[in-house]
Every structure is written in C-alpha cells, then in structure tokens.
Amino acid sequence: MNEVTTISVSKQTFMMESTTFKNVSYKNHSAQCKTISGLQKTLWLFVIRCSLFGILLKAYKSPLNWYLGLRYLIQLRKKFLGNFKLKKMVKVDGKYYIGLYTPGYFDDNYRRFITSELNYFKPIKGAGLRFNHVHLAITHKCALQCDHCYTWDTLNQKDQLDEEDLLKVISRLQNMGTGQIHLTGGEPLLKINLLINLLNKANKNSNIWINTSGYRLTFSKAKQLKKAGLTGIFISLDHFDEEMHNSFRGFKHAYHWALEGAKNAIANNMVVAFSVCITNDFVSEENLMKYMLLAKNIGVHFVQYLEPKPVGHFEGRDVKLSDDNLKILESFFVKMNYSNDFLDFPIISYHGYYQRRQGCFAGGNRSVYIDAKGNLNACNFCHTNSGNILSKDFNLALANLSKKGCSIY
Ligand code: SF4
C-alpha cells in the first residue's frame, strides 16, 4: 500500500486516507471512536441544558438570577471556544462528555462543576469545588527519557511521599473540593499497587484519572484500575510514526504501549485521551491529520494538544511554536471539532487556544500541580514551588499563589 501523498480538507480525501493509513500502520485494531452527533447529540444537549436550568433553580431564588446565571454560563463557554456550536460529544460508561475537563453528564461532579462555575457569577452557599482539577505526581520514577519531560530535574530521585502521605494529600484536596484528580509522575503505572490502593481508599467524590505513557498497561491492569474506580486516562502519544514517537520518548517500546494501553483502557470502559506535545517540526496539516486518523482508528475519545514549554528537559531550548504554526494548529483544531466533516473523529482539547482568549485557569485559580514532594506549583509547566500541601500554612501559600495567578497568559 502506498503512503498518503495528498492532504486536503475534503471529507472524501480524508476517508480515503483513513483507509490507507489504517492498512499501512495499524492493521489489527477495529475499534472506532464512538462520538455522538446529529439528532442524538441535539437531544442529549437538550437534556443537559434542562438540567442546567434545574441547577439554577436550586442555586438562586430570583428568576432574574436564573436568567442572568444561564447567560453567564453561555458567555463563559463562548469566551473559551468562540461562537462555535457544539457538534459532538462522547458517551463512556453511561456518561456523556463534552470536554476532557468537564465531568460527564450523569456524574455527581457535573452538578458540582456547574454550581462552582455559577459561584463566580453570584456566590452560592456550599458551592462545592475549590479546584476543577489537580495534577498530583505520585512518584519521581520513570523508565522513559522524554525530550520534553517537565519533571526532568527530579526524574528518578528517591520518592519521599508514601501511600499514607499521598492519601493525606488526596483527602486534603477532596475536603477542599476537587472535581478531578489526575495522578501523574514520573510514570504512575510503575506503581500499580499504589495506584489501586489510592483509588480504593480515596473518597469517591472526585473523578480520578491517570496521566501516563501507557507503560505496560495490560488488559488485566486496566481492569483492576477500572474496578478500583478510575474514570479515565491520558496516554502520551507524540507522533503517529512509531520510530519518531519512540525516539522522542527515549524508549523503544513507547509506541507499542501507548497504543496497547489505549486499547486496553477503552476495552475497560474508561474515558481515553491521547495527549500530544506538538513541536514546530511536527506542525503541518498532513501530520495533524495523520495523527487524528490514528487516534480515530484506535478509538480514543479525546486528543489533547499541548504546546511545548522551555522547562525541564526543554529548558533553555527555543521550543515555542511559531506564529505561523499556531495559526495552522488553531485552524485545524476548529475544523476538526466544529465542522460537519469530522463528526466521527475524537474531540480535541486545546488549552493554548482558550488560554490566549480567556486567560489561564491554573495558577491556583481552578487548578494546581502538586509535585512528587507535595510542593504546590501553578501548573505542570510553571514550577513556582509555592509551599507544601502537607504543611500547616498551605492555605496561605495557596492564597498567595492564587493572587499571583498565571504569569504567562
Ligand atoms: S515526560 Fe513523563 S514519561 Fe516522559 S520521562 Fe518525564 S515522567 Fe517519564
């Protein structure tokens, strides 16, 4: 079979490429991303909107606040994503997801999420969530050597926090109100027993995810994680080409485990996202399309775009995306999510897109990063080292961090 030689944005061409690409690179997998679009999407969106009204009725007494609150939510969405109409959502394990960082509809956290957002419009007593999501590193250990690793400076140091400490951290986050806890590392799957214990022992009022390279995520491990309560998984896949991904990740089986791990997580009813660090060398419509075709053929529900930052292993390198490449990336993102031509492709989540329009919601605002020493940081890429979550003065440290917010956007 020949390599794809032409790339255009017409659906017909993409379908042709899909077949070609599938045959060339990934013959054996038949799963397809199950997106919901068209009439089915419209019906579910109607149900979700009705539920928003129910939340507003509970939150406020005055009809004026119901109306203004609804308008606030609509405008908030527009600020993030512009005037585009929602074209697709995904259903996983009985829940309906419109974004990676929005809890699935029918999940208790969905109501807490909406109530907490309304709290920024007009305070609501007991409004639930202090953090929409928190990234929590549970280990410094990792078998990979990635080009862009943001924890490079501490990689494979001795772990300082044991299971008891981590449970204290999780409990503190949950007591403050945290919708999603993303367990990361290092490579969290190196600590599979710890992961399972944390999942089993943590309160069930947060959705717990893991951020991983997919390292040795067999069907049986995925099953254990799901049984212990894992909601979803971000698997790093930085290229559609096996050699390129393995070389970027410094590990010869990285591609195999990223794809295998994704298949096993999907087969166990988890929400699955591929996360890609998009470098200047990678950006072209052809490469972006090949990547999305692979993601679609594997059957992942979401793809997360990350822009490279000069931290960790990338420190001192000129990795910032050029203006021309940002234009290509943003226009591809909009086309893929909001055109009728790509309804059966995974939904893309792109932080940089909304951060440039709306500002950053990390930096203690709606999210933070807790590193494997328990230190508080503005986000995974801004290592502010602003205090320790296990220390008594954590609340003050968090307040100071939140006041400063994000220093970039
Ligand atoms: S980016 Fe993640 S997988 Fe890669 S070396 Fe760093 S911790 Fe390991």
Side-chain angles (χ1 to χ4, degrees):
M1 188 65 68
N2 291 331
E3 285 285 347
V4 176
T5 50
T6 57
I7 291 290
S8 86
V9 291
S10 82
K11 187 178 184 184
Q12 198 184 11
T13 313
F14 281 151
M15 295 319 286
M16 193 178 71
E17 285 159 1
S18 176
T19 310
T20 311
F21 188 72
K22 206 164 35 172
N23 288 341
V24 169
S25 292
Y26 207 77
K27 286 180 191 166
N28 301 326
H29 189 61
S30 58
Q32 293 284 309
C33 173
K34 305 275 186 309
T35 50
I36 294 175
S37 57
L39 184 61
Q40 211 190 351
K41 181 269 307 175
T42 307
L43 286 174
W44 276 109
L45 200 54
F46 177 73
V47 173
I48 291 172
R49 283 186 178 145
C50 290
S51 83
L52 287 185
F53 210 71
I55 294 169
L56 279 157
L57 293 188
K58 249 192 178 168
Y60 305 115
K61 289 201 174 103
S62 138
L64 181 64
N65 282 338
W66 300 341
Y67 167 72
L68 292 176
L70 189 61
R71 203 175 68 170
Y72 172 83
L73 290 175
I74 292 168
Q75 280 169 354
L76 186 68
R77 186 184 177 276
K78 279 187 183 164
K79 267 192 204 168
F80 269 90
L81 297 169
N83 271 325
F84 304 109
K85 276 195 178 152
L86 187 87
K87 292 281 180 179
K88 50 192 173 183
M89 54 177 81
V90 288
K91 183 183 178 191
V92 185
D93 207 11
K95 291 171 189 161
Y96 294 80
Y97 293 83
I98 57 175
L100 266 173
Y101 295 89
T102 305
Y105 180 67
F106 282 144
D107 190 298
D108 285 348
N109 269 320
Y110 182 80
R111 186 194 51 75
R112 293 173 84 207
F113 166 76
I114 297 293
T115 311
S116 301
E117 285 307 317
L118 283 171
N119 196 42
Y120 289 96
F121 155 66
K122 237 170 219 259
I124 300 168
K125 223 174 158 194
L129 299 180
R130 170 62 182 85
F131 299 117
N132 177 56
H133 63 277
V134 170
H135 284 98
L136 167 62
I138 63 162
T139 179
H140 291 297
K141 306 292 179 195
C142 187
L144 280 64
Q145 299 270 297
C146 303
D147 275 3
H148 68 322
C149 178
Y150 64 82
T151 59
W152 191 251
D153 301 342
T154 55
L155 202 64
N156 289 317
Q157 281 184 1
K158 189 170 184 299
D159 284 332
Q160 283 146 301
L161 304 185
D162 60 17
E163 183 179 317
E164 202 181 319
D165 295 324
L166 289 164
L167 280 167
K168 268 190 215 152
V169 172
I170 290 173
S171 158
R172 188 152 201 184
L173 292 172
Q174 292 188 312
N175 289 340
M176 293 171 86
T178 302
Q180 298 179 343
I181 299 177
H182 294 246
L183 302 178
T184 178
E187 173 48 72
L189 285 174
L190 282 176
K191 305 269 174 174
I192 186 77
N193 292 333
L194 173 64
L195 275 176
I196 289 168
N197 289 347
L198 295 177
L199 281 159
N200 277 326
K201 292 179 187 171
N203 189 318
K204 302 297 172 218
N205 67 12
S206 307
N207 295 147
I208 301 190
W209 294 63
I210 56 173
N211 292 23
T212 169
S213 64
Y215 186 79
R216 298 190 198 286
L217 181 59
T218 58
F219 183 89
S220 137
K221 285 183 192 165
K223 192 173 176 184
Q224 290 175 67
L225 289 165
K226 176 69 185 180
K227 193 171 165 218
L230 194 69
T231 298
I233 182 161
F234 286 73
I235 296 183
S236 300
L237 178 71
D238 297 299
H239 211 289
F240 52 82
D241 179 86
E242 183 163 3
E243 272 178 38
M244 295 296 284
H245 176 70
N246 290 344
S247 147
F248 188 79
R249 291 258 152 193
F251 180 59
K252 69 177 178 179
H253 302 304
Y255 185 86
H256 168 80
W257 280 113
L259 268 53
E260 205 54 32
K263 283 195 293 173
N264 291 331
I266 292 165
N268 280 287
N269 273 330
M270 291 180 212
V271 187
V272 183
F274 277 153
S275 183
V276 48
C277 174
I278 300 187
T279 58
N280 275 313
D281 288 347
F282 185 82
V283 181
S284 72
E285 191 150 319
E286 177 176 351
N287 281 349
L288 294 169
M289 195 59 221
K290 283 185 176 178
Y291 188 97
M292 289 307 291
L293 286 167
L294 175 61
K296 174 176 177 265
N297 288 335
I298 294 297
V300 300
H301 311 102
F302 291 93
V303 168
Q304 171 172 264
Y305 282 180
L306 295 177
E307 293 174 11
K309 309 277 181 206
V311 293
H313 207 181
F314 267 165
E315 187 160 354
R317 301 250 313 265
D318 181 18
V319 291
K320 193 173 177 283
L321 291 182
S322 69
D323 289 347
D324 285 349
N325 283 340
L326 282 177
K327 264 187 215 149
I328 295 172
L329 205 51
E330 290 200 347
S331 116
F332 186 84
F333 158 73
V334 168
K335 202 158 48 193
M336 190 56 62
N337 275 8
Y338 304 110
S339 149
N340 285 333
D341 286 341
F342 307 107
L343 296 176
D344 53 351
F345 278 68
I347 300 169
I348 299 175
S349 172
Y350 184 6
H351 300 289
Y353 183 89
Y354 82 74
Q355 284 166 321
R356 276 184 284 281
R357 287 157 179 81
Q358 163 69 28
C360 178
F361 276 2
N365 180 339
R366 286 165 175 82
S367 85
V368 288
Y369 163 56
I370 310 285
D371 67 23
K373 294 177 180 163
N375 290 329
L376 172 67
N377 296 278
C379 76
N380 304 41
F381 303 103
C382 297
H383 298 170
T384 48
N385 210 347
S386 312
N388 193 287
I389 188 164
L390 292 172
S391 78
K392 279 191 193 130
D393 50 10
F394 174 71
N395 286 336
L396 181 63
L398 176 61
N400 287 336
L401 173 68
S402 308
K403 218 193 248 167
K404 283 188 202 143
C406 169
S407 59
I408 299 175
Y409 297 100

